[in-house]
């Protein structure tokens, strides 16, 4: 064989071996082990760990009992879970409801008192309201008359001094610095059981003022705008002066207005009689109120005309 043919044969064999070397690793057979007898035994395919987990957990989920909708609702509501904010809101709502109930009950009591009143009592109450309106109207007309007198008087300075002196006397009566007399009533309260308290006497004073009382005296103590009452042992203290039963009120005003105001249904007389006290009201054409109060100069207030 010539050298040329030998070289061609070598070139033909070389690609075959290179191809075998390149394709050898890719075409490697599946892993296998040789047994003692020399036979090949294939291994089983590997099972992923994620796929096996649900199979193990499935029995545990199936073992837990399923709850119905009603059971879930009961489980959510009981035991109750109360927070601090919910407790505070509940207490506030309870207090509000209690206050409304008390208010409705008090209004019902007053309405029932008027509803059960006799016809003559209702007429007297209406007359008292009409009298109050008339008193306010008379006061308005008196002020207008004073203004006209000042405007039409030839000596306005003298008229102003006269009106000022008259106004000073009126204010002195209201302030308790001047004695007063006039028509009115005398109310005597006998308290043998010791059940009359300061607030009951204060209600009587307020009712008399509302009915048009211009001067009030209780057991020798003049009642003025800043008078205060308090319980004191077996009696009552009026502006620091202790008084005991019987309590005697001297009141100057229109008797036709003062007495009905005390005897209205649910008024002062009925309230005191419920406390086992006896009340006697007597009209008079002349009541003298001579208890005086010392004039006190205010510390800070001054007249705006100065």
């Amino acid at each position: 064989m010539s050298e040329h043919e030998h070289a061609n044969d070598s070139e033909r064999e070389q690609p075959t071996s290179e191809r075998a070397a390149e394709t050898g690793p890719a075409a490697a057979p599946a892993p296998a082990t040789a047994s003692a007898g020399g036979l090949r035994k294939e291994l089983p395919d590997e099972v992923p760990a994620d796929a096996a987990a649900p199979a193990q957990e499935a029995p545990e989920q199936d073992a837990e009992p399923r709850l119905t909708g009603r059971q879930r609702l009961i489980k959510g509501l009981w035991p109750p879970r109360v927070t601090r904010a919910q407790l505070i809101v509940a207490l506030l709502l309870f207090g509000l409801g209690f206050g409304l109930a008390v208010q409705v009950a008090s209004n019902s009591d007053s309405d029932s008192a008027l509803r059960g009143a006799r016809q003559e009592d209702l007429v007297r109450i209406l007359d008292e309201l009409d009298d109050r309106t008339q008193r306010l109207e008379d006061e308005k007309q008196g002020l207008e008359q004073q203004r006209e007198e000042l405007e039409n008087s030839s000596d306005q300075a003298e008229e102003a001094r006269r009106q000022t002196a008259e106004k000073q006397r009126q204010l002195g009566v209201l302030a308790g610095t001047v004695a007063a007399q006039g028509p009115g009533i005398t109310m005597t309260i006998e308290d043998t059981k010791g059940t009359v308290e300061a607030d009951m006497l204060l209600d009587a004073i307020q009712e008399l003022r509302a009915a048009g009382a211009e001067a009030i005296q209780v057991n020798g103590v003049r009642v003025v705008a800043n008078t205060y009452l308090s319980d004191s042992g077996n009696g009552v203290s009026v502006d620091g002066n202790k008084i005991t039963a019987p309590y005697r009120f001297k009141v100057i005003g229109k008797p036709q207005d003062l007495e009905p105001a005390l005897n209205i249904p649910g008024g002062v007389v009925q309230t005191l009689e419920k406390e086992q006290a006896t009340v006697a009201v007597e009209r008079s054409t002349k009541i003298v109120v001579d208890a005086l109060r010392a004039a006190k100069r205010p510390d800070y207030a001054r007249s705006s005309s100065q």
Side-chain angles (χ1 to χ4, degrees), residues 301-306:
R302 296 292 184 270
S303 176
S304 59
S305 60
Q306 293 180 358

Side-chain angles (χ1 to χ4, degrees), residues 121 136 208 254:
D121 294 333
L136 294 176
L208 290 170
K254 188 177 181 179

Side-chain angles (χ1 to χ4, degrees), residues 8 69 89 157 159 184 237 258 296:
N8 291 335
V89 172
E159 181 65 23
S237 177
L258 298 176
K296 182 180 178 181

Side-chain angles (χ1 to χ4, degrees), residues 52-65:
Q56 296 177 359
E57 295 178 356
E60 295 179 0
Q61 295 178 355
D62 295 340
E64 184 179 356

Side-chain angles (χ1 to χ4, degrees), residues 31-82:
T33 58
S35 62
L39 298 177
R40 293 183 178 180
K41 184 177 180 182
E42 296 182 356
L43 294 176
D45 296 337
E46 295 182 357
V47 179
D50 297 336
Q56 296 177 359
E57 295 178 356
E60 295 179 0
Q61 295 178 355
D62 295 340
E64 184 179 356
R66 295 184 178 179
L67 299 178
T68 63
R70 183 177 181 181
Q71 291 175 341
R72 287 197 300 270
L73 179 60
I74 295 175
K75 186 177 180 180
L77 295 177
W78 190 263
R81 299 175 180 84
V82 180

Side-chain angles (χ1 to χ4, degrees), residues 42-122:
E42 296 182 356
L43 294 176
D45 296 337
E46 295 182 357
V47 179
D50 297 336
Q56 296 177 359
E57 295 178 356
E60 295 179 0
Q61 295 178 355
D62 295 340
E64 184 179 356
R66 295 184 178 179
L67 299 178
T68 63
R70 183 177 181 181
Q71 291 175 341
R72 287 197 300 270
L73 179 60
I74 295 175
K75 186 177 180 180
L77 295 177
W78 190 263
R81 299 175 180 84
V82 180
T83 62
R84 183 177 180 182
Q86 292 174 344
L87 182 60
I88 294 175
V89 172
L91 292 176
L92 292 176
L93 291 176
F94 174 77
L96 179 60
F98 181 76
L100 291 176
V102 172
Q103 183 67 25
V104 171
S106 61
N107 292 337
S108 300
D109 293 340
S110 60
D111 294 342
S112 61
L114 292 177
R115 192 180 299 110
R118 296 175 301 177
Q119 183 176 1
E120 52 269 23
D121 294 333
L122 295 175

Side-chain angles (χ1 to χ4, degrees), residues 149-187:
E149 290 176 354
L150 284 173
E151 293 175 351
N152 300 328
S153 176
S154 58
D155 189 353
Q156 295 185 357
E158 181 64 25
E159 181 65 23
R161 283 193 293 268
R162 186 187 66 81
Q163 292 189 9
T164 300
E166 180 65 23
K167 193 68 174 179
Q168 182 179 2
R169 286 192 294 270
Q170 295 176 3
L171 293 177
V173 172
L174 298 177
T177 59
V178 178
Q181 67 179 14
I185 63 170
T186 300
M187 179 176 66

